[in-house]
Amino acid sequence: MFNLDGQLVAGQLSNMYTGDVFIDILRSRREMKAEEMQQQQLFAVQQRYAWLVAKYNNLADRYNGVLADNKKVDAAYADALAEKDRQIARLTAEKADLAAEKEEFRHIGYETCGKLSYALEEIQRLKIKAGELSPPELKPDADL
């Protein structure tokens, strides 16, 4: 006996099962595409991250180079300042020595002038005594 209803139901069930299989295939294909896209995005992000890390390392190397150059400049500047300080100290000491020497020469000159004046007066007095010079005339005091 032929059961048409059973055949129709069996055909429909078969079609539904086939449709479910195709739907599952499409769904898994979409999932694979989504996963593949995620993998591609992840790869792109990893590449971008690697590029940023390389860029950062390059900048860090340049920064370290600039710091090293600045340290060299600072050291040279400190050496130049130290040399200038030594020169200033030497010149200050020389100035103090010259001032002391000047004061000593001034004192010696003052003493010498006094001795010379006294010697000239003594020579004039001796010449007057010896008769080579006439005695100075005394001026009358007009202020009295």
Side-chain angles (χ1 to χ4, degrees):
M1 175 152 167
F2 184 72
N3 185 356
L4 187 61
D5 289 338
Q7 287 293 328
L8 288 174
V9 170
Q12 283 297 62
L13 286 175
S14 175
N15 287 339
M16 280 178 46
Y17 176 74
T18 306
D20 287 343
V21 168
F22 282 122
I23 289 173
D24 286 344
I25 290 172
L26 289 174
R27 187 178 301 137
S28 70
R29 194 165 191 206
R30 269 188 249 132
E31 288 173 1
M32 285 175 36
K33 282 185 180 182
E35 187 176 313
E36 187 178 302
M37 286 178 61
Q38 285 177 344
Q39 289 291 335
Q40 287 175 354
Q41 287 174 346
L42 180 62
F43 182 71
V45 167
Q46 287 173 342
Q47 284 182 328
R48 178 73 176 161
Y49 177 75
W51 180 81
L52 288 173
V53 167
K55 186 76 169 172
Y56 172 80
N57 289 336
N58 185 18
L59 289 173
D61 290 343
R62 286 176 49 199
Y63 176 74
N64 290 336
V66 168
L67 283 180
D69 290 344
N70 285 348
K71 286 181 182 178
K72 288 177 187 176
V73 168
D74 289 345
Y77 182 69
D79 288 344
L81 284 179
E83 179 60 30
K84 291 295 179 186
D85 288 343
R86 284 191 292 273
Q87 288 177 351
I88 288 170
R90 182 179 49 82
L91 290 173
T92 302
E94 286 179 12
K95 181 180 176 184
D97 290 344
L98 289 173
E101 191 176 315
K102 178 182 174 183
E103 182 60 29
E104 183 181 340
F105 285 151
R106 187 191 64 75
H107 183 67
I108 291 171
Y110 180 73
E111 286 179 359
T112 304
C113 278
K115 288 179 182 178
L116 180 63
S117 178
Y118 177 75
L120 288 175
E121 288 174 4
E122 189 64 28
I123 290 172
Q124 189 175 13
R125 192 177 64 69
L126 289 174
K127 282 185 178 183
I128 291 173
K129 219 179 195 185
E132 294 178 16
L133 285 176
S134 60
E137 297 179 17
L138 296 173
K139 293 183 184 176
D141 288 335
D143 293 337
L144 293 175

